């Protein structure tokens, strides 16, 4: 079956929203398979800008869209997002949107816990968005989470809330938080239930039917491989697996369904929050990249840290994530640089490394080894064919392909949906 899985190949914020929106034209169903509303996708369609967090990007195209069981869902945030997108002229109905009935919920107490832990950690804070994603995943794995289907059963809900609070009250006391009120929590869930439940159904069955009917499924990932809870810069990571291997489990389909894996990466590197970043540029060049690329978090508004392209990290993400080809975004941000640098390896305590080490102290200690490439004075912005690109820009892309050991399938030259050079259609791969 022709299906495509889109995942980030860096620390997130690679431009997945635009690429998924572009691919949605070719897809029949779009499914989010992990993360929560800590992730943000920005879509630019004509003169409209859509900022999505939980909603799959396919909703803007009117394509059937699924929030899979691997996503943790804040029901209040979801309804706020639906209202915001509806006000922009996009109709979100149960015919368009499916919410997996076995997805776990993010509750107010998760947000409380997230914020309290970050405050207590002080300088050692991980830099979470404070939206409760990590604590919600903890409860899911601890088998005490409230799931979407529980909203339809008052008696089961009361029992599950009691079990959940037996765990959380002790945590709250230890963090100097007031104990949660079970009556208040149940009342809040009962109030939101009639708004959420019309979207809830067995997502796995809908996707299984689409698979058997040979429909094109687009799996939409959030964050990036370097934030993967196993393969990222632990502990400065998210709380879920962000690589393509999670797509099947988080959507409710088998691994055969995933198909072509498209990794998204920028022509440079960015990161939000704390954690190691070997090629970070804390200078005028870094600020120039950030300003030209408008590098501010879609969800948090935080400025992103910027640096040169790190081929070592992307090559590692490609290997660990089973990535078949890349969508290379924001090439236009590098317009006008005389010289560009690409990290091709590291030096660690006097020895050469061709990979990013797992030890956190080593991750902070590595020194990037750079290769310098010729920049280009002309503009790549809005280019839609190879012929529109300066020769040095073509050489830059080709060198990146060699270093990361994967082909570039799509090349983005502006935030606009159609400013994309197609070298290989992932749905035809």
């Amino acid at each position: 079956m022709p299906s495509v899985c889109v995942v980030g190949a860096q620390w997130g914020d690679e431009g997945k929203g635009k690429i998924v929106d572009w691919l949605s034209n070719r897809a029949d169903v779009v499914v989010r398979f992990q993360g929560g509303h800590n992730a943000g996708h920005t879509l630019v369609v004509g003169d409209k800008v859509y900022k999505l967090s939980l909603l799959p990007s396919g909703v803007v195209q009117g394509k059937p869209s699924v929030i899979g069981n691997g996503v943790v869902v804040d029901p209040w945030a979801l309804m706020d997002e639906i209202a915001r997108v509806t006000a922009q002229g996009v109709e979100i109905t149960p015919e368009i949107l499916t919410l997996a009935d076995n997805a776990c919920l993010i509750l107010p107490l998760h947000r409380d816990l997230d914020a309290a832990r970050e405050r207590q950690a002080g300088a050692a804070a991980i830099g979470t968005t404070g939206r409760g994603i990590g604590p919600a995943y903890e409860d899911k794995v601890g088998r005490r989470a409230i799931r979407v289907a529980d909203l339809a059963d008052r008696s089961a809900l009361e029992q599950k809330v009691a079990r959940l609070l037996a765990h959380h009250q002790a945590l709250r006391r230890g963090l100097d938080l007031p104990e949660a009120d079970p009556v208040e929590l149940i009342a809040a869930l009962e109030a939101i239930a009639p708004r959420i439940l019309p979207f809830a159904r067995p997502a796995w069955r809908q996707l299984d039917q689409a698979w058997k009917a040979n429909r094109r499924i687009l799996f939409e990932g959030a964050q990036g491989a370097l934030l993967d809870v196993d393969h990222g810069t632990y502990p400065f990571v998210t709380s879920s697996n962000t690589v393509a291997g999670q797509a099947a489990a988080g959507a409710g389909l088998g691994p055969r369904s995933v198909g072509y894996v498209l990794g998204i990466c920028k022509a440079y590197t960015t990161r939000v929050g704390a954690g190691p970043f070997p090629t970070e540029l804390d200078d005028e060049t870094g600020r120039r990249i950030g300003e030209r690329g408008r590098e501010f978090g879609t969800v948090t508004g935080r400025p992103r840290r910027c640096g040169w392209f790190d081929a070592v990290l992307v090559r590692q993400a490609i290997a660990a994530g089973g990535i078949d080809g890349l969508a290379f975004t924001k090439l236009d941000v590098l317009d006008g640089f005389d010289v560009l640098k690409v990290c091709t390896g590291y030096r660690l305590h006097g020895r050469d490394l061709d990979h990013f080490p797992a030890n956190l102290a080593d991750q902070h200690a590595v020194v990037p080894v750079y290769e310098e490439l010729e920049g280009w004075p002309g503009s790549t912005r809005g280019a839609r064919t190879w012929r529109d690109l300066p020769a040095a820009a073509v050489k830059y892309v080709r060198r990146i392909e060699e270093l990361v050991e994967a082909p570039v399938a799509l090349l983005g030259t502006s935030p606009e949906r159609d400013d994309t050079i197609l070298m290989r259609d992932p749905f035809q791969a």
Side-chain angles (χ1 to χ4, degrees):
M1 171 181 169
S3 61
V4 174
C5 177
V6 175
V7 292
Q10 293 165 313
W11 276 294
D13 308 308
E14 303 97 345
K16 290 185 292 297
K18 169 191 169 174
I19 299 300
V20 172
D21 178 52
W22 191 84
L23 289 169
S24 293
N25 281 319
R26 295 160 170 77
D28 298 307
V29 183
V30 182
V31 53
R32 272 281 310 273
F33 60 84
Q34 49 77 220
H37 65 305
N38 55 338
H41 289 172
T42 299
L43 314 182
V44 180
V45 184
D47 61 350
K48 289 191 175 182
V49 178
Y50 301 94
K51 294 184 180 294
L52 307 180
S53 294
L54 278 168
L55 291 174
S57 298
V59 298
V60 174
Q61 303 264 10
K63 295 293 178 77
S65 300
V66 176
I67 299 175
N69 57 274
V71 179
V72 285
V73 180
D74 183 321
W76 298 275
L78 176 59
M79 296 314 302
D80 287 346
E81 188 174 334
I82 289 174
R84 186 174 66 251
V85 173
T86 299
Q88 291 185 277
V90 178
E91 188 176 13
I92 309 292
T93 66
E95 287 68 41
I96 291 294
L97 179 66
T98 292
L99 171 60
D101 56 5
N102 57 338
C104 295
L105 298 179
I106 299 174
L107 307 175
L109 53 81
H110 293 129
R111 296 194 295 270
D112 295 344
L113 183 57
D114 204 351
R117 282 173 170 171
E118 286 288 273
R119 285 195 302 270
Q120 190 176 77
I126 292 173
T128 76
T129 60
R131 283 163 168 76
I133 280 75
Y137 272 117
E138 289 176 35
D139 282 342
K140 175 180 179 176
V141 175
R143 296 167 292 180
R144 54 182 171 265
I146 307 299
R147 304 204 294 181
V148 173
D150 297 329
L151 298 179
D153 187 341
R154 170 63 189 255
S155 60
L157 185 60
E158 289 181 347
Q159 294 172 11
K160 291 198 171 187
V161 166
R163 185 171 186 272
L164 178 70
L165 291 186
H167 174 79
H168 275 267
Q169 302 295 33
L171 290 177
R172 295 175 72 87
R173 287 192 294 269
L175 291 165
D176 294 324
L177 293 172
E179 291 197 0
D181 184 340
V183 175
E184 182 180 309
L185 177 56
I186 291 172
L189 290 171
E190 287 189 316
I192 198 71
R195 302 172 63 195
I196 289 291
L197 287 174
F199 299 98
R201 50 188 172 274
W204 63 267
R205 185 168 62 186
Q206 178 182 344
L207 292 168
D208 179 61
Q209 291 169 349
W211 164 264
K212 289 176 178 175
N214 205 37
R215 310 296 283 172
R216 290 180 169 183
I217 300 175
L218 181 59
F219 297 88
E220 179 180 4
Q223 290 106 9
L226 302 178
L227 293 174
D228 185 279
V229 69
D230 287 305
H231 302 288
T233 49
Y234 191 92
F236 299 96
V237 293
T238 193
S239 299
S240 61
N241 287 113
T242 62
V243 294
Q246 173 63 20
L253 285 171
R256 290 180 304 156
S257 66
V258 175
Y260 186 92
V261 180
L262 182 68
I264 317 298
C265 68
K266 289 175 181 170
Y268 49 97
T269 310
T270 64
R271 173 163 205 170
V272 170
F277 185 171
T279 66
E280 182 172 12
L281 295 169
D282 189 17
D283 58 13
E284 183 55 37
T285 300
R287 287 186 287 274
R288 180 181 175 189
I289 292 173
E291 290 169 3
R292 289 181 59 108
R294 299 180 182 178
E295 295 297 350
F296 297 92
T298 299
V299 171
T300 64
R302 290 183 292 183
R304 298 174 184 139
R305 301 154 62 190
C306 298
W308 294 120
F309 187 85
D310 192 328
V312 182
L313 284 176
V314 174
R315 183 171 63 242
Q316 198 159 320
I318 288 169
I323 292 172
D324 297 300
L326 293 176
F328 201 58
T329 66
K330 292 198 170 185
L331 183 67
D332 56 302
V333 173
L334 299 182
D335 291 350
F337 282 89
D338 294 328
V339 175
L340 301 172
K341 294 183 180 182
V342 176
C343 175
T344 59
Y346 304 123
R347 293 283 291 171
L348 177 63
H349 306 313
R351 58 191 176 92
D352 293 327
L353 280 185
D354 63 356
H355 67 282
F356 197 52
N359 179 273
L360 183 61
D362 289 345
Q363 290 178 354
H364 280 292
V366 295
V367 177
V369 176
Y370 286 117
E371 176 179 316
E372 291 191 354
L373 299 172
E374 179 187 358
W376 52 89
S379 174
T380 64
R381 188 174 180 84
R384 297 184 181 181
T385 70
W386 273 111
R387 295 187 301 274
D388 297 331
L389 296 176
V394 175
K395 290 179 181 177
Y396 182 76
V397 175
R398 292 306 190 198
R399 182 56 178 151
I400 295 299
E401 289 180 315
E402 292 174 354
L403 291 170
V404 302
E405 301 174 3
V408 171
L410 297 166
L411 184 63
T413 57
S414 94
E416 295 289 339
R417 173 196 289 167
D418 294 329
D419 289 342
T420 304
I421 300 174
L422 175 64
M423 283 164 278
R424 184 175 187 178
D425 187 342
F427 279 117
Q428 300 299 324

